[in-house]
């Protein structure tokens, strides 16, 4: 099969590779589409701790496709089924996995013990075929497209975060900072769960407009209005019940502390390029809890698929660019240089 | 003012009564509408333990109206504001109230210490005016009608129950037994929170059809199909993630245990006329938790109002009969005899 | 090796059997001791749904011993390590296991997919050697005896239940009904977590005296004093914050509802011989939640071992009878006939 | 009566003042002892936002004493009862108080609506008499001293924090940074709840030795050993399940992130003199939640009193200095200059 392989820092090339065979509990999937993400850029430049070596590794952790072969014991799916994925499969035996916290698996990167993070610690979806464990695959409802399926993985990040904060945001005010793919899917997820108002804050007008079309009750261009002032204004001076930080901007944590309600919650879904500085005492004085989640744990993808099938969250509108597998370098150039304001750039192998 | 007063068992008469004056923290409301409920029938026949004496007591706990006067310190509302209510106000000083569990107030019925259950332990809304504590009143969004407001109190019961089970039912299967007002509002609440599928089970075709119009994904006429078989069929043999019992039928607890998924949750929102018999061991063997809630605690009415304002739950379609205050005896006759298949019968004082 | 094998209803015989070999992720343990339990009696008479066939099955689910051999990938333990166990290992791939609810595994009994309940759905510890998955084994602290290790599995049941109700009982009143092994370990667990007072209720004086030695703040002989009256008296009329039912008596659920505080919790750890009858409406009226758990999930055995190593819970005092493996029939006769008031009868292979 | 009054920045003088009269729901207490705390120093120099004006305000929020008079409706206590306190009484009517989050009251400082933070927004305990709401007073068990009662308020801070993180730390590893009064009471609280090991980290040998006497399983002098290395060593490389930051040191948040287990929890109980800088992305990557609490909410003082009465936490050993009310300036000089390594300096009016 054809597959992108990372041969060195920022040296991703499409080469021939044998189609892998599914072991017990595993499934071989013919990849239909694979999303690109900021993490893909980072790990091409600076390999992650548990990343496979140069010359072997195929990244890609937001993929979808059709079941091509089943490993032993797999009867949950059938050949021909369309599936969406979550990236992480825990070892199933460490203290954290036993408790269901598999995105925090203590055997992260230990393939022998069963852990795998598709496209991060094992081969992923920038290829014609990809393997995954059956527990990380979900049958795709008929009314969803491949684009929806790619974004369902992103929505899984949103929902895992919302699960961490309790999952019950109906009637609560939510401020979402950063209208990237995570922020936009989170906006929809919050509306799907009944949050109101959902305020989306960002710097790019086009993104904010898309956010509005996707359900945000109000959008704030933070270059025109101070974000803290705006959120306090909209929430009658109280601050938002929940602030969700999805921008990764260095100033965002301080703003989050200032725009959250007393006794409220801040959820961090983005990553920062450096240590951040903020007034933690203000959070302490106000009984504010700071939640973080990584990836799409706790069955969040299953829930995301359901919301997508119900028409409550839509992924396809976020896909702005499509490239064939052989054009993957060009695809990442577009991602890196933000050419044409890409939101989600996908590879169609 | 004119007010219904209970003069003896099943002896409710409309008489003249002075308009009460709001104490500090209280609000006087001109009642626009007050719903009737099974509880109203019960307490007319057999007074509840903390019910005011015959000759004084005005029942009615599902009311709505316009602010007419404010007690000292009240600035959360203004005269002329339309409000919805929750029935319970805790004492604010017992162990349970301090923890926010005010529907389980340990000073239940102790008016001196501040507890009040409107229309149950103090005068309620079958009158031209009613008093309530400001913390139990919520400003009614402009796009809601009085009918919506009456049913918002019912929806508060649904949401308080959903809060008890975690509030995060997105993508989960829910079976709701009993398409009365609570069951119908719960159906909508579950859909508003993203549950799927929501299965509504009942005996009356008209109710099930209404449930379908209000969002149920499927409805089961339990006179045509065994409810357990139906729920297991719809959930691919697994049982429902959540079963919500709102029928009060003596056979319902056993059915709930049989139709719930391993590790699932049962929420009891109805009351039974007698002790129930069911296979508790089956629940234990399957790690099933049995939740109960009473009333509309934990700020559930605030959330319900938000969902109603968002158009996610609709109350007005449940109002089947309207009576003036002077016709209240006729109204309760209709409720008691189920004449014309009443769902929610309201009094318009 | 020598092993007890169930050849038919109540026909348990000790025979020769090959020592099993550990597969990947599995560990072979030389059994040092195996407790007997009411469940062992039941499954000998009426096989459980997923029980291996007559002529093959070796029961025993409360065992402990020394690591004898390691399957592939196991480096968490070393040969010679002493270990305690929990009975259940989930499939690790169903919806429930993924969320950490492995005692409610949806593939219960499906060995091919990885589920095993030692001594229930696969061979257990009434043998010289037993296999288990590494995730179900815990290294035994040096200061614990085999007797402690056997009872740690029982204490895991207590702690899993306490986990289900929130785990935070410090300063709360707890009433425990039934001073059997589960009730006695739960008494200690509640005291270890700071509950106060812990009231133990039962019918046998000797058991209550042992409960007192193990930390119960007060004990009630329910043949001398009505249990509901007693608990209400001790809790100043409020009822217990938590009622834990570990007796399996048919009258216990009703008593639990009557002795629990408004807004309180009931935890069911016992099984009933038939459907139970109780006033569920009383629980609903009082916002009472009814929790159930099965087995020792959520890493409860790890916590139990820690409490035992800290000297907070003691198992050895519960072991009243010891038998060699060849005397297993005599052992079960003693259990069945309650000869000599046995608390925990153990087999020493 | 005699009372300390703040007449200007750092100008606290003892003067005559009328004994206040308890309103409905309030209790007058003859103060037996009042602890000093870093917060007292801060608010003397820089008044807090809701602090009463200079010339009127009596600080002191860690007091205890004997009931001297009862306001209307108070029957929970009797004259002559010894009581411990919590500082905060919520308004009982804002969104947060209704949910039981009264330390995050949205009407903070609004006395008319019922909020009071004793010694912060209303007069406190550096006086012969003090008022408080009955819901903030707890009867002192007979076996506790005034010193214990003062420290029970501090232990309430510990337990409220532990409640926020779930309250169920039995068998979990906990690292506590900062052996001041909060750190030392938290050490005891963690042991009382069964945590193991509890590692106490600090810079002062005497404090660490006291921590050890009070139950810490190990203590780390961070001037001899790197705290992160030490905690990772003790926890077999995994990091602590829970890190509790009670030092307020600017470097502590970064260390907390580095010493916590993947999927673990950090609880912040201290305040920082300035915005802090730390690698928040590391927390995000590891699914770490950052909890904060303020004061002694959620009935934590009730639980603390129970643990103290059980002998599980001891306060009196922390009281190093005693001063009469007239010597309050000298007392605060000792606190400010840390003369004689004071832990808890108390005023005995």
């Amino acid at each position: 099969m054809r597959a992108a392989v990372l041969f060195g820092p920022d040296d991703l090339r499409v080469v021939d590779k044998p189609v892998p065979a599914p072991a017990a509990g595993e499934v071989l999937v013919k990849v239909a589409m694979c999303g690109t993400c900021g993490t893909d850029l980072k790990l091409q430049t600076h390999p992650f701790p548990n990343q496979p070596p140069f010359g072997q590794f195929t990244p890609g952790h937001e993929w979808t496709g059709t079941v091509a072969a089943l490993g032993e014991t797999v009867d949950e799916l059938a050949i021909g089924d369309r599936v969406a994925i979550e990236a992480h499969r825990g070892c199933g035996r460490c203290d954290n996995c036993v408790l269901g916290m598999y995105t925090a698996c203590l055997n992260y990167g230990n393939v022998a013990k069963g852990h795998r993070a598709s496209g991060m610690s094992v081969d992923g979806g920038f290829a014609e075929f990809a393997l995954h464990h059956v527990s990380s695959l979900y049958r795709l409802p008929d009314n969803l497209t491949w684009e929806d399926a790619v974004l369902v993985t992103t929505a899984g990040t949103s929902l895992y975060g919302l699960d961490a904060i309790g999952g019950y945001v109906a009637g609560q005010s939510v401020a979402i900072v950063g209208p990237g793919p995570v922020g936009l899917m989170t906006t929809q997820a919050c509306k799907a769960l009944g949050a109101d108002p959902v305020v989306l804050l960002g710097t790019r007008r086009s993104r904010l407009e898309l956010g509005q079309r996707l359900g945000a009750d109000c959008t704030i261009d933070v270059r025109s209005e101070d974000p803290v002032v705006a959120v306090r204004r909209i929430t009658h001076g109280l601050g938002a019940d929940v602030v969700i930080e999805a921008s990764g901007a260095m100033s965002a944590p301080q703003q989050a502390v200032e725009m959250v309600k007393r006794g409220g919650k801040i959820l961090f879904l983005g990553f920062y390029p450096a240590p951040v500085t903020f007034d933690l005492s203000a959070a302490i004085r106000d009984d504010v809890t700071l939640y973080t989640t990584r990836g799409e744990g706790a069955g969040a993808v299953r829930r995301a698929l359901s919301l997508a099938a119900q028409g409550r969250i839509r992924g396809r509108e976020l896909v702005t660019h499509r490239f064939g597998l052989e054009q993957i370098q060009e695809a990442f150039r577009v991602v890196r240089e933000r050419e044409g304001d890409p939101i989600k750039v996908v590879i169609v192998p």
Side-chain angles (χ1 to χ4, degrees), chain A residues 24-103:
Chain A
E26 288 187 337
V27 176
L28 180 72
V29 178
K30 169 111 188 56
V31 178
M33 191 174 284
C34 184
T36 62
C37 157
T39 299
D40 291 318
L41 287 181
K42 285 184 217 162
L43 57 73
Q44 288 182 48
T45 310
H46 302 290
F48 284 7
N50 299 289
Q51 195 165 308
F54 290 136
Q56 295 181 15
F57 174 49
T58 296
H61 58 275
E62 297 181 350
W63 48 275
T64 178
T66 306
V67 172
L70 303 172
E72 270 179 58
T73 76
V74 178
D75 58 9
E76 292 93 336
L77 295 168
I79 291 176
D81 280 352
R82 298 192 314 148
V83 289
I85 72 151
E86 63 187 46
H88 293 268
R89 157 76 187 170
C91 73
R93 63 201 253 189
C94 73
D95 290 2
N96 283 351
C97 281
V98 159
L99 296 176
M101 301 164 62
Y102 56 91
T103 62

Side-chain angles (χ1 to χ4, degrees), chain A residues 225-248:
Chain A
E225 186 176 8
D226 178 81
V228 173
V229 170
V231 170
R232 294 236 160 233
R233 171 177 56 75
I234 293 163
T235 57
H236 311 290
L238 293 175
D241 291 306
V242 178
V243 176
I244 302 180
E245 213 304 275
S247 75

Side-chain angles (χ1 to χ4, degrees), chain A residues 158-247:
Chain A
S158 309
L159 285 173
Y160 185 29
L162 289 169
D163 191 346
I165 66 166
Y168 185 42
V169 293
Q172 296 206 297
S173 53
V174 180
I176 299 169
V177 183
V182 170
L184 290 166
M185 294 311 286
T186 303
T187 297
Q188 296 182 73
C190 287
K191 287 310 298 179
L193 300 180
D196 193 78
V198 172
V199 185
L200 180 63
L201 302 104
T203 54
R204 278 182 274 179
R205 210 102 306 279
S206 60
R207 295 292 182 91
L208 294 174
E209 281 164 14
L210 177 55
Q212 204 143 19
R213 281 205 306 281
L214 294 171
D217 296 295
C218 32
T219 56
I220 304 295
D221 181 340
V222 300
R223 288 189 294 211
S224 318
E225 186 176 8
D226 178 81
V228 173
V229 170
V231 170
R232 294 236 160 233
R233 171 177 56 75
I234 293 163
T235 57
H236 311 290
L238 293 175
D241 291 306
V242 178
V243 176
I244 302 180
E245 213 304 275
S247 75

